[in-house]
């Protein structure tokens, strides 16, 4: 009898705790997931304590990623432009597509190793992985979907009620829950299993050919300053000498910072999976990697913001051929074929 | 069992040593009530109407008579002319006593601008977040003016920017004596006068500046202007 009040109080405290935790973080009964990352990598920038990975959260994110209902006329999903076999870039398309046949102004960036990336988009204008999808979802020439309408649309959908409940404990649909689930799915896109990685890890029987080794040498001398290992980007924005296009009138990061010192600066893309993610540059103007080599060798525009690291770069035909061989070793077939990322077919 | 109920009621009720304060907001233009489609004048002589007026408030703190600064739990409020409910803010956790000043930020502090998807008043569904250049719109004023150089003669002032050279958060400090007692929740009525946006140290002419929707110098100057938009109306 003496103990009873204690139990009542304890139960009441648990009840209060339950109230205070409601709507925040994963729901009860979720399966937590830990990413398997090579030990040699630095700690991810993404703060998983604010968005712990769960099987259910990732599943919701994957479903959202492939759902055309995220666009105004239910025709364009994230996965429409971000194709797995192109390392989540857009195969053969220089510019992003949108609803009603609209066309974007920049090429579709590849998606992988995003949890080390400090900012997003070609101009680095988006500062967090969680909110990156807001850009393509609401952009008029991409998915053109106002966020409040999207949340209403998802709320009314039975499948989403189940998926949100599984991931977060209640059926409540909020933009925060949606964005965090998308971020969870994108956080799982990790690519470190190319032949280059096997060579680096000294996997028995795997070695560069003489041509590849020559290309690696050239890469380290002339490319690695910006395309820094192991990510093959230093995540900075730079002017690589690409000529300004009057048609596109895109001056890159200058639009974000209002600083003329950022004229024609674009984010340095990773070279991982580069051979499967053509076309190249922020506006997809080059369909062939040799056009990129040619641009660096003799096609650069002169200007004060052109990065000193690429100014006057010369690439001989031999260096170009060997670079091509080396870049092929950066293709991660395991990533491109990983069933965990495969498209979910959504027909409703 | 009686003691148990007493304990539970203590647990449920607010702690006896602290109370809340209510802030209400009234919007005016040149000391007249803000009304849709009503024409107002800037000091420069431009006619204009206001169709949208909203702003974030955060980082509230209160100074008591002993110059101790009391900070309620961090909360973010989106005050919007079209929502009566938004114009009443309740802040809790103030120790009983006499106070002399309130201070708050117009806008959202930088940390909440760069830590991912937020909820509540900071939910991006309210259209107060820039998608292409991450960051909150700290304050928004839209309307019309015959002087506007935009084709539809609209005014589009979306003031934001949280980093680098262009930071648009502004701190406001107002003298307002009030007493928090166990019996009574004080109500402070604040007035925000939208005319200050265009009439301050940097006068705005709509024929030159009909709007501004990026971080930048004009946004900074308008934020300076509207940092003086609040005054205390009554103190009950």
């Amino acid at each position: 009898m003496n103990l009873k009040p204690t139990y009542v109080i304890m139960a009441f405290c648990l009840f209060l705790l339950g109230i205070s935790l409601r709507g925040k973080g994963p729901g009860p009964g979720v399966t937590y997931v830990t990413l398997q990352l090579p030990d040699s990598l630095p700690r991810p920038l993404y703060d998983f304590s604010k968005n712990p990975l769960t099987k259910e959260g990732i599943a919701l994110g994957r479903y959202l990623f492939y759902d055309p209902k995220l666009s105004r006329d239910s025709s364009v999903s994230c996965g429409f432009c971000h194709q797995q076999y192109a390392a989540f870039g857009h195969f053969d398309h220089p510019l992003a597509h949108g609803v009603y046949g609209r066309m974007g102004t920049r090429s579709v960036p590849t998606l992988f190793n995003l949890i080390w990336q400090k900012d997003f988009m070609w101009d680095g204008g988006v500062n967090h992985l969680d909110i990156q999808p807001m850009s393509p979802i609401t952009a008029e020439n991409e998915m053109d979907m106002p966020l409040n309408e999207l949340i209403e649309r998802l709320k009314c959908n039975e499948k989403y009620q189940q998926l949100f409940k599984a991931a977060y404990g209640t059926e409540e649909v909020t933009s925060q829950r949606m964005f965090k689930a998308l971020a969870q799915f994108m956080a799982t896109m990790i690519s470190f299993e190319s032949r280059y990685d096997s060579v680096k890890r000294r996997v028995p029987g795997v070695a560069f050919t003489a041509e590849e080794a020559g290309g690696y040498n050239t890469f380290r001398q002339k490319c690695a300053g910006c395309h820094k290992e192991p990510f093959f980007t230093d995540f900075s924005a730079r002017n690589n000498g690409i000529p300004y296009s009057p048609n596109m009138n895109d001056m890159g990061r200058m639009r974000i910072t209002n600083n003329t010192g950022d004229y024609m600066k674009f984010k340095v893309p990773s070279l991982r999976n580069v051979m499967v993610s053509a076309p190249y540059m922020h506006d997809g103007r080059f369909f062939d990697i040799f056009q990129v080599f040619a641009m660096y060798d003799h096609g650069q525009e002169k200007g004060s913001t052109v990065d000193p690291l690429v100014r006057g770069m010369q690439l001989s035909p031999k260096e170009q051929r060997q670079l091509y061989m080396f870049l092929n070793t950066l293709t991660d077939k395991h990533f491109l074929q990983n069933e965990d990322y495969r498209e979910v077919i959504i027909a409703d | 069992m009686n003691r148990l109920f007493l304990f539970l009621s203590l647990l449920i009720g607010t702690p006896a040593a602290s109370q809340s304060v209510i802030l209400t907001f009234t919007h005016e233009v040149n000391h007249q009530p803000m009304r849709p489609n009503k024409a107002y004048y800037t000091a420069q002589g431009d006619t204009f109407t206001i169709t949208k007026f909203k702003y974030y408030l955060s980082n509230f703190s209160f100074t008591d008579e002993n110059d101790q600064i009391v900070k309620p739990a961090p909360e973010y409020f989106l005050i919007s002319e079209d929502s009566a409910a938004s114009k009443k803010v309740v802040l809790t956790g103030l120790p009983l006593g006499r106070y002399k000043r309130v201070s708050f930020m117009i806008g959202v502090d930088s940390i909440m601008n760069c830590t991912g998807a937020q909820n509540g008043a900071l939910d991006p569904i309210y259209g107060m977040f820039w998608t292409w250049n991450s960051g909150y719109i700290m304050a928004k004023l839209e309307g019309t003016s015959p002087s506007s150089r935009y084709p539809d003669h609209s005014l589009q002032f979306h003031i934001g920017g949280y980093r680098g050279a262009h930071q648009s958060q502004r701190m406001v400090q107002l003298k307002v004596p009030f007493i928090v007692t166990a019996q009574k929740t004080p109500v402070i009525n604040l007035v925000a006068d939208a005319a200050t946006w265009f009439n301050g140290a940097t006068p705005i002419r709509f024929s030159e500046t009909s709007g501004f929707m990026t971080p930048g110098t004009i946004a900074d100057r308008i934020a300076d202007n509207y940092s003086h938009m609040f005054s205390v109306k009554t103190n009950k």
Side-chain angles (χ1 to χ4, degrees):
Chain A
M1 191 62 196
N2 277 343
L3 281 176
K4 251 187 186 168
T6 322
Y7 287 135
V8 176
I9 292 169
M10 275 173 65
F12 187 73
C13 290
L14 280 174
F15 170 71
L16 285 182
L17 186 73
I19 288 177
S20 67
L21 289 178
R22 200 176 47 171
K24 291 175 189 170
V30 293
T31 308
Y32 288 93
V33 172
T34 309
L35 289 177
Q36 301 301 315
L37 303 172
D39 296 335
S40 56
L41 295 174
R43 266 174 70 97
L45 278 183
Y46 191 81
D47 184 356
F48 286 104
S49 73
K50 295 214 172 75
N51 187 18
L53 290 184
T54 66
K55 197 166 150 259
E56 294 77 8
I58 296 166
L60 170 59
R62 180 178 172 194
Y63 196 89
L64 286 161
F65 189 86
Y66 287 113
D67 191 348
K69 287 195 293 299
L70 266 64
S71 63
R72 181 181 281 279
D73 63 353
S74 296
S75 65
V76 176
S77 66
C78 308
F80 181 89
C81 284
H82 294 284
Q83 300 161 328
Q84 185 181 358
Y85 60 86
F88 293 102
H90 202 176
F91 175 73
D92 210 26
H93 286 262
L95 299 172
H97 280 220
V99 294
Y100 309 118
R102 292 174 192 160
M103 191 72 89
T105 58
R106 285 177 179 164
S107 67
V108 177
T110 51
L111 306 179
F112 50 82
N113 305 341
L114 300 169
I115 56 177
W116 288 276
Q117 203 168 306
K118 65 177 165 32
D119 43 30
F120 300 84
M121 313 303 279
W122 277 106
D123 53 24
V126 172
N127 65 17
H128 200 283
L129 180 59
D130 285 2
I131 56 164
Q132 192 286 330
M134 213 187 293
S135 228
I137 289 172
T138 58
E140 201 183 333
N141 52 19
E142 294 187 49
M143 295 157 89
D144 193 26
M145 189 67 196
L147 274 187
N148 49 355
E149 286 177 39
L150 174 56
I151 298 305
E152 288 308 310
R153 187 182 282 185
L154 299 187
K155 269 182 192 168
C156 300
N157 185 287
E158 233 170 82
K159 177 73 180 172
Y160 277 111
Q161 291 164 9
Q162 294 164 17
L163 289 169
F164 274 80
K165 187 167 186 181
Y168 297 111
T170 66
E171 290 173 357
E172 192 193 1
V173 177
T174 65
S175 75
Q176 187 183 44
R177 285 179 163 190
M178 175 185 75
F179 287 129
K180 284 188 182 277
L182 276 166
Q184 286 197 33
F185 177 55
M186 290 188 287
T188 65
M189 295 174 177
I190 303 289
S191 177
F192 288 104
E193 293 191 56
S194 65
R195 218 158 71 74
Y196 157 85
D197 294 297
S198 299
V199 172
K200 282 286 179 183
R201 278 182 219 131
R202 298 174 195 277
V203 173
V206 187
F208 285 140
T209 64
E211 287 282 273
E212 289 164 356
Y216 186 38
N217 235 347
T218 303
F219 162 81
R220 284 204 288 191
Q221 284 167 28
K222 301 190 175 177
C223 317
C226 310
H227 297 286
K228 208 173 149 196
E229 296 170 85
F231 300 105
F232 286 84
T233 169
D234 65 352
F235 302 108
S236 68
R238 296 171 189 261
N239 181 349
N240 67 350
I242 189 164
Y244 164 79
S245 154
N247 290 343
M248 307 302 292
N249 190 30
D250 188 344
M251 294 171 234
R253 190 160 172 76
M254 197 172 103
R255 182 174 81 131
I256 301 300
T257 59
N258 287 326
N259 179 352
T260 49
D262 286 330
Y263 172 75
M264 289 305 282
K265 285 188 182 170
F266 294 92
K267 203 142 52 61
V268 176
S270 174
L271 296 183
R272 287 181 174 274
N273 301 302
V274 68
M275 295 315 299
V276 298
S277 55
Y280 306 111
M281 303 292 134
H282 65 276
D283 55 7
R285 70 176 74 172
F286 300 137
F287 276 69
D288 191 305
I289 197 75
F290 281 91
Q291 291 174 296
V292 178
F293 298 153
M295 193 277 287
Y296 282 117
D297 180 63
H298 57 264
Q300 289 184 34
E301 188 169 71
K302 289 188 169 53
S304 63
T305 63
V306 175
D307 206 283
L309 289 171
V310 297
R311 254 184 238 176
M313 184 192 290
Q314 290 190 321
L315 290 168
S316 71
K318 184 186 170 193
E319 285 175 319
Q320 295 189 24
R321 187 187 71 234
Q322 291 188 333
L323 264 182
Y324 167 79
M325 295 297 184
F326 169 67
L327 292 180
N328 270 286
T329 72
L330 295 175
T331 302
D332 180 350
K333 291 212 172 82
H334 178 85
F335 174 72
L336 301 176
Q337 291 163 8
N338 189 336
E339 299 213 350
D340 294 341
Y341 314 136
R342 188 162 291 176
E343 179 164 10
V344 184
I345 304 299
I346 301 168
D348 68 336
Chain B
M1 282 309 260
N2 275 344
R3 248 184 290 171
L4 172 66
F5 284 123
L6 184 69
F7 179 76
L8 285 180
S9 63
L10 276 176
L11 208 60
I12 297 163
T14 37
S18 81
Q19 256 281 17
S20 22
V21 58
I22 295 171
L23 301 171
T24 67
F25 295 87
T26 310
H27 296 154
E28 295 186 349
V29 190
N30 292 326
H31 309 294
Q32 301 160 39
M34 187 183 288
R35 297 277 178 265
N37 301 317
K38 186 169 166 27
Y40 303 100
Y41 294 90
T42 66
Q44 291 68 250
D46 288 331
T47 315
F48 70 108
T49 67
I50 293 176
T51 53
K52 206 174 265 183
F53 184 65
K54 44 174 87 177
Y55 49 87
Y56 277 110
L57 296 182
S58 63
N59 289 271
F60 280 90
S61 70
F62 298 90
T63 310
D64 72 11
E65 58 179 358
N66 303 317
D67 289 317
Q68 295 292 308
I69 291 171
V70 175
K71 287 185 182 171
E75 259 191 281
Y76 299 83
F77 302 94
L78 178 57
I79 317 292
S80 187
E81 169 57 15
D82 62 5
S83 157
S86 78
K87 288 186 259 185
K88 182 180 170 185
V89 163
V90 182
L91 294 160
T92 54
L94 265 77
L96 307 184
R98 290 172 176 274
Y99 292 83
K100 58 182 183 185
R101 268 201 303 274
V102 55
S103 136
F104 54 86
M105 175 186 279
I106 308 175
V108 178
D109 43 273
S110 64
I111 186 84
M112 298 308 265
N113 279 273
C114 60
T115 43
Q118 310 296 339
N119 222 349
L122 297 179
D123 192 321
I125 61 168
Y126 298 116
M128 293 291 278
F129 193 86
W130 278 317
T131 56
W132 58 281
N133 187 1
S134 300
Y136 282 94
I137 297 169
M138 310 295 176
K140 188 186 262 189
L141 189 158
E142 292 180 6
T144 63
S145 170
S147 313
S148 165
R149 60 181 174 83
Y150 292 153
D152 58 356
H153 294 296
S154 66
L155 302 175
Q156 305 274 344
F157 291 94
H158 300 181
I159 307 305
Y162 73 94
R163 58 180 163 185
H166 299 296
Q167 302 189 18
S168 57
Q169 301 97 331
R170 292 293 178 272
M171 288 307 295
V172 175
Q173 203 175 66
L174 297 167
K175 272 188 190 168
V176 48
F178 66 96
I179 306 168
V180 178
T181 66
Q183 289 77 37
K184 199 175 167 206
T185 302
V187 178
I188 300 169
N189 193 341
L190 299 180
V191 177
D193 196 313
T196 54
W197 284 51
F198 312 116
N199 293 348
T202 307
I204 302 296
R205 278 192 172 279
F206 297 143
S207 54
E208 291 159 11
T209 310
S210 311
F212 203 75
M213 290 177 275
T214 66
T217 305
I218 293 175
D220 300 340
R221 294 296 79 79
I222 290 176
D224 291 342
N225 283 353
Y226 70 53
S227 68
H228 301 288
M229 75 174 161
F230 290 101
S231 58
V232 182
K233 192 181 189 184
T234 50
N235 181 18
K236 288 172 208 168

